[in-house]
Amino acid sequence: MKTTLLHIDNDTCMDARLQVAMDIARACDGYMTCLQAVSYEVFAPGDFYGSAMAAAMPRIKEAAEHLRAKIEADLANEDVSWEWRFLDGMAEHRLLEQSALHDIIIVGPHDIGGEGSRRPSAMAGELALRAPSPVLVVPGDWDRFETEAPALVAWNGSSEASVAMRAAIPLLKLAGKVFLASVAEQDEKNRYDFPASEAAKYLSRHGISVEVVDLPGGGAKVSDTLESAALMRGCSMLVMGAYGHSRLSEMLLGGVTRRCLTDPKLPIFLSH
């Protein structure tokens, strides 16, 4: 992970993902791009002449400049290589545009202005589906990313799980131990395209040894089972394929990706 794209925003999870981005940059001898996207579009019913927007723009700009000054002052004391990109527009659009020449995108678990909501981040989901780079979603209480700590790969034999595992290889190589975890499900439709033994063999060719773990399904949600297994094993991240079912199906019926993004307990590494 030589090039990290970090989303900059003034939310409560900013410090956590900044620390994680720096930890990854140090471990990989990499470079960090801090992307601050600011939209001046203000929805105000009846604001036909844009007066509300005109009044809000100076405040928005001032807040953005204050945040930039604060973070740049902090980064000046760190031993990481970085640059700052300030772009107008919606954050998800600018992150998607810039992702093509970055190895990983680091975002928080909430949409802009969506803190306190129990809904999963639409931005994280869109990036995981559309960006050519994997997405790492960092919760606000995660103050350090130990690259040498264990990592857990959620495995259901799907192509999405395969893509996520392949994308995570640079970080899995640094992990002290890698668990390849499958959750037993009663649904006959959830049959593996690729058994865990094939995934383990693939990782071994990259010099990564794994421990295959079969987790009991029971009555718990798959997302809860995976997160609990990862936390119990002291993992630094949970690697999983994003939206194995159709996005509409996930939104209407729920799903592992949606539930993991709603209230992540540890960094979630996503790719589709």
Side-chain angles (χ1 to χ4, degrees), residues 106-171:
I106 299 181
V107 300
H110 308 292
D111 288 324
I112 296 174
E115 291 189 85
S117 169
R118 293 292 299 171
R119 293 176 297 179
S121 169
M123 181 175 76
E126 281 298 307
L127 289 172
L129 281 173
R130 299 179 60 195
S133 307
V135 177
L136 186 66
V137 182
V138 180
D141 56 356
W142 204 263
D143 57 3
R144 187 183 177 197
F145 189 84
E146 297 181 0
T147 53
E148 69 279 6
L152 188 141
V153 178
W155 188 256
N156 65 356
S158 67
S159 60
E160 292 82 10
S162 303
V163 169
M165 183 184 71
R166 294 202 323 267
I169 280 177
L171 293 179

Side-chain angles (χ1 to χ4, degrees), residues 44-157:
D47 184 29
F48 302 111
Y49 302 103
S51 57
M53 183 184 297
M57 283 179 63
R59 294 195 298 272
I60 295 172
K61 185 176 181 181
E62 181 181 359
E65 291 174 347
H66 178 75
L67 177 62
R68 176 174 181 172
K70 176 184 178 299
I71 295 178
E72 286 188 329
D74 293 339
L75 287 171
N77 299 315
E78 302 290 345
D79 57 342
V80 294
S81 299
W82 58 277
E83 68 173 287
W84 196 279
R85 295 185 185 176
F86 183 92
L87 301 173
D88 292 339
M90 301 296 291
E92 54 265 41
H93 299 158
R94 297 298 172 256
L95 287 165
L96 183 60
E97 292 169 358
Q98 298 293 315
S99 64
L101 289 179
H102 288 84
D103 298 322
I104 189 170
I105 309 166
I106 299 181
V107 300
H110 308 292
D111 288 324
I112 296 174
E115 291 189 85
S117 169
R118 293 292 299 171
R119 293 176 297 179
S121 169
M123 181 175 76
E126 281 298 307
L127 289 172
L129 281 173
R130 299 179 60 195
S133 307
V135 177
L136 186 66
V137 182
V138 180
D141 56 356
W142 204 263
D143 57 3
R144 187 183 177 197
F145 189 84
E146 297 181 0
T147 53
E148 69 279 6
L152 188 141
V153 178
W155 188 256
N156 65 356

